[in-house]
């Protein structure tokens, strides 16, 4: 039987639990009291490539979110090797399907019986897969910039350059452009100073916090994701909210996903 272990660390208003499975260590950051999981709405977040739990933690900590966080338990999952200052992973990185299957064990370790999933990009893809695996556990999904299709030819071409740079432990201009386009969309005609500032802040965080070799593994896993359009149509049962920006690089594929789920 596979062994799953957890280490708990208390921080002011934030509980840190490290859940170890055969596929890696998941660092989980909990806003609120885990003991309230039976009486509160539980929101579990799953981050995108080129990121970790921190932006979603910051988002849920905004003053405008206070009335929601006061009534819910927010559980932020950081995928293996993506946490701030992580050492190089020594084992093979899980596929998107394997990550979703592994998260069942994480939820079980935390004794989370019913949850709402909030996933961004690659995290949204994982969330949809997880919801299909445990429909009795997942009450709903909020999917930001999701895509159900496999990576297209242009994505694969860009991926080769990005992975080549990250393999050398170097972000480089091409890698930055790829990840910025993935996160912010098409910015060629956007000149607002606040947007430019957000991009620079993101680049600083990326270079400072995310291990490039580990990021390479997550990007590679995301780009190799199998198409799940047919599975979604047949097996996704929970309420799902899709959110995508008009300038997003996946706007068309998200709209295609919406049409699919409406059938």
């Amino acid at each position: 039987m596979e062994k799953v272990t957890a280490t708990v660390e208390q921080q002011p208003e934030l509980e840190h639990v490290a859940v170890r499975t055969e596929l890696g260590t998941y660092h989980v950051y909990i806003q609120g009291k885990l003991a309230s999981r039976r009486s509160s709405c539980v929101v579990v977040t799953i981050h995108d490539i080129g990121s970790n739990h921190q932006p979603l933690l910051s988002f849920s900590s905004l003053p405008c979110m206070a009335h929601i966080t006061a009534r819910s338990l927010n559980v932020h999952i950081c995928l293996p090797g993506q946490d701030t200052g992580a050492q190089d992973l020594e084992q093979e990185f899980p596929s998107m399907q394997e990550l979703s299957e592994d998260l069942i064990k994480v939820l079980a370790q935390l004794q989370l019986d019913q949850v709402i999933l909030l996933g961004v990009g690659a995290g949204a893809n994982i969330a949809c897969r997880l919801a299909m695996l445990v429909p009795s556990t997942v009450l709903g999904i909020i999917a930001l910039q999701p895509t159900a299709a496999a990576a297209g030819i242009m994505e694969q071409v860009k991926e080769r350059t990005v992975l080549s740079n990250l393999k050398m432990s170097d972000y480089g201009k091409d890698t930055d452009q790829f990840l910025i386009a993935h996160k912010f969309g098409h910015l060629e005609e956007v000149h607002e100073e606040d947007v430019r500032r957000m991009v620079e802040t993101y680049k600083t965080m990326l270079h400072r916090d995310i291990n490039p070799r580990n990021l390479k593994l997550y990007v590679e896993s995301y780009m190799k994701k199998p198409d799940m359009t047919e599975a979604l149509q047949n097996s996704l049962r929970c309420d799902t909210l899709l959110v995508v920006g008009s300038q997003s690089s996946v706007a068309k594929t998200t709209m295609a996903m919406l049409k699919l789920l409406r059938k």
Side-chain angles (χ1 to χ4, degrees), residues 16-79:
H16 171 222
V17 181
V19 180
R20 297 172 180 84
T21 72
E22 287 188 354
L23 297 182
T25 299
Y26 297 81
H27 291 277
V28 184
Y29 298 86
I30 303 165
Q31 285 178 291
K33 300 296 183 182
L34 190 56
S36 68
R37 57 184 172 269
R38 308 294 184 198
S39 58
S40 300
C41 171
V42 180
V43 179
V44 175
T45 72
I46 311 171
H47 64 84
D48 198 3
I49 58 173
S51 185
N52 55 29
H53 71 287
Q54 191 60 56
L56 289 166
L57 172 60
S58 298
F59 170 73
S60 61
S61 301
L62 291 172
C64 63
M65 293 292 292
H67 65 292
I68 296 177
T69 55
R71 295 172 173 80
S72 63
L73 180 69
N74 293 276
V75 179
H76 307 283
I77 297 177
C78 186
L79 299 177

Side-chain angles (χ1 to χ4, degrees), residues 26-206:
Y26 297 81
H27 291 277
V28 184
Y29 298 86
I30 303 165
Q31 285 178 291
K33 300 296 183 182
L34 190 56
S36 68
R37 57 184 172 269
R38 308 294 184 198
S39 58
S40 300
C41 171
V42 180
V43 179
V44 175
T45 72
I46 311 171
H47 64 84
D48 198 3
I49 58 173
S51 185
N52 55 29
H53 71 287
Q54 191 60 56
L56 289 166
L57 172 60
S58 298
F59 170 73
S60 61
S61 301
L62 291 172
C64 63
M65 293 292 292
H67 65 292
I68 296 177
T69 55
R71 295 172 173 80
S72 63
L73 180 69
N74 293 276
V75 179
H76 307 283
I77 297 177
C78 186
L79 299 177
Q82 310 305 307
D83 45 304
T84 301
Q87 299 297 310
D88 290 353
L89 289 172
E90 297 180 355
Q91 61 193 102
E92 184 177 349
F93 195 80
S95 67
M96 301 295 282
Q97 186 64 27
E98 288 172 334
L99 285 167
S100 64
E101 293 168 358
D102 226 23
L103 288 183
I104 298 175
K105 302 164 190 170
V106 175
L107 297 182
Q109 183 69 39
L110 298 174
Q111 299 180 30
L112 300 177
D113 298 327
Q114 291 190 318
V115 303
I116 295 172
L117 301 178
L118 191 161
V120 184
N125 190 281
I126 296 169
C128 289
R129 295 175 189 276
L130 176 57
M132 290 188 286
L133 290 170
V134 284
S136 61
T137 298
V138 179
L139 301 178
I141 305 171
I142 303 171
L144 283 69
Q145 302 197 146
T147 175
I153 294 176
M154 290 304 296
E155 285 182 288
Q156 293 177 29
V157 171
K158 292 177 181 178
E159 175 215 358
R160 292 191 188 98
T161 300
V162 171
L163 295 181
S164 177
N165 286 339
L166 292 174
K167 186 177 181 180
M168 303 298 292
S169 294
D170 177 26
Y171 279 99
K173 184 178 179 181
D174 290 333
T175 302
D176 283 351
Q177 288 179 344
F178 170 82
L179 292 169
I180 288 169
H182 176 80
K183 183 176 180 66
F184 294 97
H186 306 291
L187 298 177
E188 291 84 356
E189 298 181 3
V190 177
H191 303 289
E192 286 84 353
E193 183 60 31
D194 57 340
V195 175
R196 297 296 177 187
R197 193 180 303 114
M198 283 192 294
V199 170
E200 290 304 316
T201 299
Y202 171 68
K203 285 170 61 178
T204 299
M205 180 280 298
L206 178 68

